[in-house]
């Protein structure tokens, strides 16, 4: 019995080490910097409190060609720019400065009682790149979230044409959906086939436990309410690298499965404070009538539990391998699941783990080359302790999807 247990431990350790060995650390910052117009501009920004390096924490990412977009939410004052990019052209500078996107002007917040420019980008948590070369950004519009919160602009979706770097649309979330508890920190984009107008954005409201669906073609939105969007009160206790805290975040991220012949997909979702994974077909989500139907409960499905301490902030689906990747906040790693198997702890193995480089994985993305990108940022330390400017705090790593699942039960 003891020999069998030792063998199992060694096999699991070997699998984990194998994945870690293939992780490529692309960027690593102690503190992020920006490509300022001049040294004098940066100096003035620091003097006036517009740039406080320690308050700039990268959180979301997305790749488009040679640009890797990075978001920096305005958790605290002194965030220079909430959306920017770093170049992936070789040779890559691992501590590269972030270039504000689409330009510096978009990130200048109004002072005193002046009115904001309607195209101002205030506080973006996550972004998505679609197959039509568009960047979708969910802007909360809320600045200095942990200090003196100010709703500079209402929550909105900003959509950019990446070939021209022009803002092509800004859609404001309906005011009666923005309650005191509402918080939109994520966005997933679904384009039907090659019909770029037939695009939908799915916007989880983690604080009000709702899901907003936006239609690009109709330039309109509707919202779903469901019990599955709520957090599990027994699973809101987190311990990330020695930092203990309690959250009550509901529906948090959505990952889309392969497109079916009818153009729809399976959308997988979960609350952050939960161990369960759920699903719903996008045919349901894209039906505005069903959103208002009080009998839509059984159109949503419980897939199963990922297992103890498996709370997930970010997820992404690789359609070629048919594998869902989920971050594991309490485990400093990434797990996987192939929907061809029942969702239970045995079928959701931890395939990547690193207690130094993967402390609080905040975003996962898969690019057109099927690289799995991972952003870790020690968010729990940032919120509840202090980050040391002498240590690497923020990392962006990548691994080929096929390498990540090699040897695991997820590869079917």
């Amino acid at each position: 019995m003891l020999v069998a247990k030792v063998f199992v431990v060694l096999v699991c350790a070997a699998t984990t080490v194998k994945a870690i060995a293939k992780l490529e650390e692309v960027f690593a910052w102690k503190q992020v910097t920006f490509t300022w117009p001049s040294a004098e501009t940066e100096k003035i920004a620091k003097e006036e409190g517009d740039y406080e390096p320690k308050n700039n924490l990268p959180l979301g990412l997305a790749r488009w060609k040679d640009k890797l977009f990075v978001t920096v939410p305005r958790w605290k004052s002194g965030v220079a720019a909430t959306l920017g990019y770093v170049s992936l052209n070789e040779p890559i500078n691992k501590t590269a400065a972030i270039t504000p996107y689409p330009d510096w002007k978009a990130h200048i917040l109004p002072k005193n009682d002046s009115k904001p420019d309607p195209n101002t980008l205030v506080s973006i948590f996550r972004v998505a790149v679609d197959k039509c070369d568009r960047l979708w950004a969910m802007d909360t519009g809320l600045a200095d979230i942990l200090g003196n919160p100010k709703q500079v602009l209402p929550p909105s979706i900003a959509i950019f044409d990446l070939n021209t770097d022009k803002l092509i649309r800004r859609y404001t979330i309906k005011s009666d959906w923005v309650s005191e508890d509402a918080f939109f920190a994520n966005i997933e984009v679904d384009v039907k086939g090659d019909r770029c107008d037939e695009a939908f954005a799915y916007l989880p409201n983690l604080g009000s436990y709702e899901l907003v669906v936006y239609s690009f073609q109709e330039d309109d939105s509707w919202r779903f309410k469901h019990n599955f969007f709520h957090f599990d009160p027994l699973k809101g206790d987190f311990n990330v690298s020695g930092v203990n805290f309690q959250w009550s975040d509901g529906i948090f991220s959505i990952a889309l499965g392969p497109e079916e012949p009818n153009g729809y997909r399976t959308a997988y979702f979960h609350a952050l404070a939960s161990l369960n994974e759920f699903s719903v077909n996008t045919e349901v989500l894209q039906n505005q009538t069903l959103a208002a139907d009080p009998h839509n409960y059984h159109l949503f499905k419980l897939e199963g539990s990922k297992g103890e301490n498996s709370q997930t902030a970010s997820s992404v689906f690789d359609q070629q391998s048919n594998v869902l990747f989920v971050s594991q906040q309490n485990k400093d790693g990434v797990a996987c699941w192939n929907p061809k198997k029942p969702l239970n702890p045995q079928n959701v193995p931890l395939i990547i783990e690193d207690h130094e480089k993967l402390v609080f994985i905040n975003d996962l993305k898969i690019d057109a080359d099927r690289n799995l990108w991972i952003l870790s940022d020690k968010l729990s330390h940032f919120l509840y302790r202090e980050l040391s400017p002498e240590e690497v705090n923020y990392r962006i790593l990548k691994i080929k999807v096929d390498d990540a699942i090699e040897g695991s039960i997820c590869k079917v």
Side-chain angles (χ1 to χ4, degrees):
M1 180 66 70
L2 178 60
V3 172
K5 288 183 178 179
V6 170
F7 177 74
V8 170
V9 170
L10 288 175
V11 169
C12 292
T15 301
T16 300
V17 169
K18 182 177 182 181
I20 290 173
K22 293 179 180 177
L23 274 178
E24 176 187 348
E25 187 177 80
V26 185
F27 296 100
W29 297 280
K30 295 178 179 178
Q31 293 182 334
V32 296
T33 56
F34 295 86
T35 56
W36 294 90
S38 67
E40 182 64 18
T41 306
E42 180 179 5
K43 179 174 178 292
I44 293 173
K46 288 181 177 179
E47 291 173 348
E48 296 184 354
D50 295 328
Y51 178 43
E52 178 57 63
K54 67 179 182 180
N55 291 348
N56 290 252
L57 174 136
L59 188 143
L61 80 164
R63 181 193 175 186
W64 181 75
K65 297 184 178 180
D66 63 351
K67 288 185 173 72
L68 187 67
F69 288 94
V70 179
T71 69
V72 186
R74 297 186 194 270
W75 286 111
K76 304 176 182 179
S77 61
V79 171
T82 190
L83 173 63
Y85 66 88
V86 283
S87 174
L88 295 177
N89 289 327
E90 298 288 352
I92 293 177
N93 176 5
K94 291 181 68 173
T95 59
I98 295 174
T99 299
Y101 187 86
D103 51 38
W104 270 108
K105 181 182 178 183
H107 300 274
I108 299 175
L109 296 187
K111 293 189 176 182
N112 303 320
D113 295 326
S114 59
K115 293 184 178 181
D117 185 298
N119 292 329
T120 299
L121 299 177
V122 183
S123 188
I124 297 170
F125 278 69
R126 290 175 183 83
V127 291
V129 171
D130 70 15
K131 64 176 72 174
C132 303
D133 293 338
R134 296 176 300 204
L135 178 72
W136 300 59
M138 182 62 233
D139 189 349
T140 67
L142 184 63
D144 199 6
I145 298 168
L146 300 177
N148 297 303
K150 182 179 181 182
Q151 195 71 52
V152 180
L153 288 171
S156 64
I157 307 169
I159 307 173
F160 295 90
D161 181 337
L162 289 168
N163 290 304
T164 63
D165 298 328
K166 300 297 183 183
L167 180 66
I168 57 177
R169 186 176 296 181
R170 188 126 188 192
Y171 179 81
T172 299
I173 304 298
K174 296 176 181 179
S175 59
D176 57 339
W177 296 353
V178 186
S179 64
E180 183 178 346
D181 294 327
F183 202 85
F184 297 91
N186 223 317
I187 183 169
E188 181 66 22
V189 179
D190 183 8
V191 179
K192 284 191 173 183
D194 57 359
R195 304 183 296 278
C196 294
D197 283 344
E198 294 186 41
F200 296 83
Y202 307 122
L203 314 170
N205 185 338
L206 64 91
S208 295
Y209 313 124
E210 301 168 344
L211 177 66
V212 171
V213 179
Y214 168 72
S215 166
F216 184 85
Q217 189 171 47
E218 298 178 27
D219 195 28
D220 192 14
S221 63
W222 47 91
R223 62 175 173 171
F224 283 83
K225 296 174 178 287
H226 200 282
N227 288 6
F228 294 173
F229 299 162
H230 289 250
F231 77 106
D232 182 340
L234 300 179
K235 303 303 177 184
D237 187 41
F238 294 76
N239 193 313
V240 179
S241 190
V243 179
N244 180 236
F245 55 95
Q246 292 74 43
W247 282 356
S248 58
D249 293 0
I251 181 170
F252 207 80
S253 69
I254 293 179
L256 299 175
E259 188 170 5
E260 300 161 4
N262 61 5
Y264 298 106
R265 308 171 186 271
T266 298
Y268 299 93
F269 66 90
H270 54 264
L272 175 56
S274 172
L275 307 181
N276 293 323
E277 194 73 25
F278 304 91
S279 69
V280 63
N281 195 278
T282 57
E283 185 174 9
V284 174
L285 299 182
Q286 294 171 21
N287 188 323
Q288 187 171 1
T289 302
L290 286 177
D293 188 340
H295 304 294
N296 65 21
Y297 183 90
H298 296 287
L299 298 176
F300 293 75
K301 177 185 177 183
L302 168 64
E303 292 288 347
S305 171
K306 299 186 290 288
E308 282 303 310
N309 295 316
S310 65
Q311 288 90 337
T312 295
S314 184
S315 59
V316 65
F317 201 100
D318 177 60
Q319 299 181 24
Q320 184 170 323
S321 64
N322 196 57
V323 170
L324 176 72
F325 294 89
V326 292
S327 67
Q328 303 280 267
Q329 309 313 118
N330 292 317
K331 300 178 182 179
D332 303 331
V334 177
C336 65
W337 171 57
N338 191 315
K340 291 180 180 179
K341 296 179 178 293
L343 199 158
N344 56 49
Q346 292 71 38
N347 289 331
V348 189
L350 189 69
I351 54 171
I352 300 172
E353 180 183 26
D354 192 311
H355 299 301
E356 176 189 358
K357 295 183 178 182
L358 299 180
V359 177
F360 210 105
I361 295 173
N362 228 320
D363 206 2
L364 300 174
K365 288 291 193 305
I366 294 175
D367 64 21
D369 297 323
R370 297 184 64 238
N371 293 299
L372 173 65
W373 291 86
I374 305 171
L375 185 150
S376 67
D377 59 12
K378 297 184 180 178
L379 177 63
S380 49
H381 290 71
F382 176 82
L383 296 178
Y384 303 113
R385 294 187 181 178
E386 290 286 338
L387 293 179
S388 170
E390 304 304 317
E391 298 177 0
V392 173
N393 294 303
Y394 320 123
R395 290 181 170 88
I396 296 178
L397 309 98
K398 71 175 181 177
I399 183 173
K400 288 290 186 182
V401 165
D402 292 330
D403 291 340
I405 62 174
E406 183 64 37
S408 77
I409 197 170
C410 298
K411 186 174 181 179
V412 178

